[in-house]
Amino acid sequence: KKECANICILSPFELPIPAVRGGAVEGLIETIIKNYQDNSNIKLTIVSIFNKNAQKIAKEEYKNINFIFIKKPKIITLIDKVYELFYFLLRLGKKHEYQKKYLWKFFTLYKCRRLLMKTKYDKIIIENSGYLLNVFRNKKIREEYKRRSFFHLHNIVSDKVYLNGLMNSKIIVISEYLKNDIIKRYRY
């Protein structure tokens, strides 16, 4: 009997999966779930931001998929809003993507690192969230998932992305434009 592949998908942590609040990437992940939920050759784990409705649908409709929901503490939301306001005021109105939800990103990164340290997956897929490549700053995780991690990219990567994490992953892009951008900027 063929052993099943144990795959973990780390979502962007913006909108929940199942995609009860929409989202292009979240909808794509849900399509993957629908296509593989009855496949006995794959054990799929989805890590997503918590949403009560998403959790209910996951339990009812996707019984063969393992969902790990991360709840966003209210204090993190409050601190992030204060941080964003001060950063906006100090930078005279300039706001960059990597300053948004700063503490939330650290929190989800911490949770993902803990998960990858305690659970062994055959493959991990990081969906369109460059900051999650920072899980590879941990040497044990970097070595464990070398050549077994994938970064599924839907838009141009920030220059603030962890380059060694990017190089540790196989990159899946949705367009020739993105492929050329990665090659040009990172000599990948």
Side-chain angles (χ1 to χ4, degrees):
K1 185 180 173 183
K2 190 177 177 183
E3 229 178 276
C4 69
N6 191 8
I7 300 171
C8 179
I9 298 178
L10 303 177
S11 76
F13 295 104
E14 293 289 327
L15 297 170
I17 300 159
V20 295
R21 293 187 51 218
V25 174
E26 292 76 10
L28 174 68
I29 296 170
E30 188 165 6
T31 299
I32 292 168
I33 293 167
K34 286 177 184 177
N35 288 324
Y36 287 96
Q37 71 175 336
D38 295 324
N39 187 331
S40 62
N41 295 324
I42 295 176
K43 181 181 176 193
L44 195 57
T45 298
I46 306 297
V47 187
S48 171
I49 186 171
F50 173 80
N51 175 282
K52 198 173 188 176
N53 193 24
Q55 185 179 46
K56 181 178 182 257
I57 290 171
K59 284 181 182 177
E60 291 172 359
E61 295 182 24
Y62 303 115
K63 296 180 189 320
N64 297 330
I65 307 294
N66 179 34
F67 283 87
I68 298 172
F69 289 102
I70 298 177
K71 288 187 178 184
K72 188 175 195 178
K74 290 180 182 174
I75 188 70
I76 285 180
T77 302
L78 177 64
I79 292 169
D80 274 343
K81 286 184 179 184
V82 170
Y83 173 82
E84 288 173 22
L85 175 65
F86 280 113
Y87 190 87
F88 182 79
L89 294 173
L90 292 173
R91 298 277 294 163
L92 303 173
K94 295 179 184 175
K95 191 173 192 180
H96 299 283
E97 184 63 35
Y98 61 91
Q99 274 89 32
K100 292 181 184 175
K101 300 175 183 160
Y102 196 72
L103 191 56
W104 172 239
K105 288 178 180 180
F106 274 114
F107 185 74
T108 56
L109 188 58
Y110 167 75
K111 292 287 192 173
C112 290
R113 275 190 186 140
R114 282 187 51 198
L115 172 68
L116 296 175
M117 290 292 283
K118 74 175 187 170
T119 309
K120 300 289 182 217
Y121 295 100
D122 297 317
K123 305 228 184 282
I124 59 169
I125 301 167
I126 297 173
E127 276 293 342
N128 205 45
S129 295
Y131 81 94
L132 287 174
L133 291 168
N134 284 293
V135 297
F136 298 117
R137 287 188 186 273
N138 179 294
K139 186 178 179 182
K140 186 176 178 183
I141 293 171
R142 186 171 57 248
E143 289 173 1
E144 177 72 31
Y145 292 103
K146 189 169 186 121
R147 295 182 182 35
R148 296 187 302 122
S149 62
F150 298 84
F151 182 42
H152 192 191
L153 191 57
H154 299 255
N155 46 34
I156 293 176
V157 153
S158 164
D159 287 331
K160 301 289 182 189
V161 73
Y162 178 54
L163 191 56
N164 287 337
L166 187 67
M167 297 305 174
N168 198 71
S169 302
K170 294 177 183 174
I171 301 172
I172 303 167
V173 294
I174 63 163
S175 71
E176 197 68 27
Y177 175 79
L178 287 177
K179 176 184 165 189
N180 293 335
D181 181 68
I182 293 284
I183 291 168
K184 180 178 153 192
R185 287 200 293 150
Y186 302 107
R187 293 174 177 78
Y188 191 78

